[in-house]
């Protein structure tokens, strides 16, 4: 595969592919999405179905049964609220429990958005396995010695544009995002961190390392923080936090369990607000969440 190739994978069933009916041999179809042109390949009975999007040297490889529209997932207005359903990209490096919580909330209808693509730096991680089970395409990023089929920052942006992604959600993704992506999605990338930022944040603070540092410090409280992403680790504007107690005899594992429960609840709540266009920015640049029940109240 060439240096500019992009790889997606996923397995789903009963996916409707507009204009591409069940083929038994390779075939082609041409469409023209507004922001990306590329060539996608999808296996069908051990063969490849070619899905051409304009003319470009990039190749997206994906399962024939994956969502293959440029934007993937469902779209259009939600009939209850009149709000356009948003398209979400989730980034993971591990088990992806927050990814699963957001996915379930989307399927159940509380989130007016659909996860149309998963981005990971580890194709075998739990989050990627869950995406395959649910038929969500997977993009490998970045290219490394372990993931040589990973894509470049420019191709990552082009891929997300091709899926018509509105918002990017980091859910345990351990790589620093490239500046190209930050510039392409201003005020549209969220991350969740397992401490009350700015405490216990920055490079090297992730996963159980955070909880060990919290317990060792003697801190009496911890909790998850959701913040917008900038070009550094954990320094973007804070959007939401919740507090959990750190008890005198807590182990890091006990703190981690308590914080993770709040992560699942808080991230879903924030993504709900994001998809409903309820994030507002104060004049000094601080983001706030507008109350769904009372638009004059913020958190």
């Amino acid at each position: 595969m060439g240096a500019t190739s992009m790889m997606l994978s996923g397995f789903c069933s009963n996916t409707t592919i507009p204009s591409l009916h069940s083929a038994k041999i390779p075939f082609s179809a041409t469409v023209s999405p507004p922001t990306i042109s590329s060539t996608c390949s999808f296996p069908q009975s051990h063969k490849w179905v070619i899905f051409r999007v304009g003319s470009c040297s990039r190749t997206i490889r994906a399962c024939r049964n994956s969502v293959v529209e440029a934007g993937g997932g469902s779209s259009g207005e939600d009939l209850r609220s009149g709000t356009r359903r948003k398209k979400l990209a989730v980034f993971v490096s591990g088990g992806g429990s927050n990814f699963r919580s957001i996915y379930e909330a989307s399927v159940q209808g509380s989130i007016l958005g659909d996860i149309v693509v998963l981005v990971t730096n580890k194709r075998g991680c739990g989050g990627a396995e869950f995406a395959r089970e649910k038929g969500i395409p997977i993009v490998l990023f970045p290219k490394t010695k372990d993931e040589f089929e990973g894509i470049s920052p420019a191709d990552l942006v082009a891929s997300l544009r091709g899926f018509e992604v509105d918002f990017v959600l980091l859910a345990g993704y351990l790589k620093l995002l490239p500046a190209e992506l930050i510039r392409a999605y201003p005020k549209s990338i969220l991350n969740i961190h397992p401490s009350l930022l700015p405490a216990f944040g920055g490079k090297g603070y992730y996963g159980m390392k955070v909880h060990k540092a919290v317990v060792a410090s003697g801190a009496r409280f911890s909790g998850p923080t959701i913040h917008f992403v900038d070009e550094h680790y954990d320094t973007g504007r804070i959007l939401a936090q919740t507090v959990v107690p750190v008890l005198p005899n807590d182990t890091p594992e006990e703190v981690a369990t308590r914080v993770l429960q709040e992560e699942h609840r808080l991230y879903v709540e924030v993504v709900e607000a994001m998809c409903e266009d309820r994030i507002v920015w104060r004049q000094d640049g601080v983001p706030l969440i507008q109350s769904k029940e009372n638009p004059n109240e913020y958190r």
Side-chain angles (χ1 to χ4, degrees):
M1 183 178 295
T4 58
S5 63
M6 295 184 286
M7 179 174 179
L8 295 85
S9 64
F11 302 93
C12 65
S13 59
N14 301 322
T15 300
T16 301
I17 305 174
S19 301
L20 302 183
H21 301 292
S22 56
K24 300 301 182 182
I25 58 174
F27 63 93
S28 298
T30 302
V31 297
S32 299
T35 56
I36 179 173
S37 59
S38 56
T39 300
C40 306
S41 300
F42 305 91
Q44 170 77 355
S45 301
H46 304 292
K47 298 180 181 179
W48 287 98
V49 173
I50 306 302
F51 180 58
R52 300 190 184 282
V53 185
S55 58
C56 181
S57 60
R58 288 193 294 270
T59 299
I60 302 176
R61 293 199 170 191
C63 172
R64 168 63 175 78
N65 289 328
S66 296
V67 178
V68 299
E69 297 173 286
S74 41
S75 60
E77 267 192 9
D78 179 77
L79 297 179
R80 296 168 301 168
S81 65
T83 302
R84 180 179 65 84
R85 291 186 68 85
K86 305 304 191 294
K87 296 181 179 181
L88 312 173
V90 180
F91 286 47
V92 303
S93 293
S97 64
N98 278 302
F99 161 44
R100 297 170 194 237
S101 295
I102 294 167
Y103 173 84
E104 293 299 334
S106 171
V107 170
Q108 293 167 9
S110 62
I111 289 179
L112 299 182
D114 304 287
I115 299 172
V116 298
V117 63
L118 182 87
V119 178
T120 183
N121 61 312
K122 296 181 179 179
R123 76 175 73 202
C125 69
E129 291 298 326
F130 182 77
R132 292 187 185 99
E133 291 173 7
K134 301 303 180 181
I136 300 171
I138 297 169
V139 173
L140 293 175
F141 177 83
K143 182 176 182 178
T144 65
K145 64 179 181 180
D146 296 321
E147 294 292 0
F148 61 90
E149 292 182 312
I151 63 176
S152 69
D155 279 343
L156 175 63
V157 172
S159 178
L160 298 186
R161 292 298 194 202
F163 280 101
E164 299 178 354
V165 166
D166 294 294
F167 301 120
V168 173
L169 310 174
L170 308 190
Y173 185 72
L174 302 182
K175 296 290 185 180
L176 190 66
L177 293 188
E180 294 93 327
L181 183 59
I182 304 297
R183 290 193 294 266
Y185 284 89
K187 295 183 178 180
S188 300
I189 305 176
L190 293 179
N191 181 44
I192 189 162
H193 183 78
S195 75
L196 296 173
L197 292 176
F200 308 105
K203 187 175 182 179
Y205 278 96
Y206 61 89
M208 196 56 65
K209 292 183 179 182
V210 172
H211 305 299
K212 289 179 179 179
V214 167
V215 171
S217 75
R220 302 304 196 265
F221 299 96
S222 190
T225 298
I226 295 177
H227 64 94
F228 284 93
V229 176
D230 58 19
E231 296 181 16
H232 307 284
Y233 285 107
D234 304 326
T235 58
R237 289 287 193 172
I238 292 172
L239 179 59
Q241 292 179 312
T242 55
V243 175
V244 302
V246 179
L247 304 179
N249 296 318
D250 269 343
T251 65
E253 290 75 16
E254 289 169 330
V255 175
T257 298
R258 202 172 296 130
V259 171
L260 187 61
Q261 290 175 344
E262 277 300 295
E263 285 185 36
H264 294 164
R265 185 196 63 78
L266 184 64
Y267 216 168
V268 167
E269 180 182 312
V270 169
V271 175
E272 285 179 5
M274 194 86 153
C275 290
E276 293 170 5
D277 302 321
R278 290 192 288 110
I279 307 300
V280 298
W281 293 79
R282 216 165 62 186
Q283 288 185 345
D284 59 358
V286 173
L288 303 171
I289 298 176
Q290 189 176 46
S291 169
K292 191 171 185 177
E293 292 74 23
N294 185 353
N296 294 318
E297 294 182 357
Y298 302 89
R299 59 161 296 176

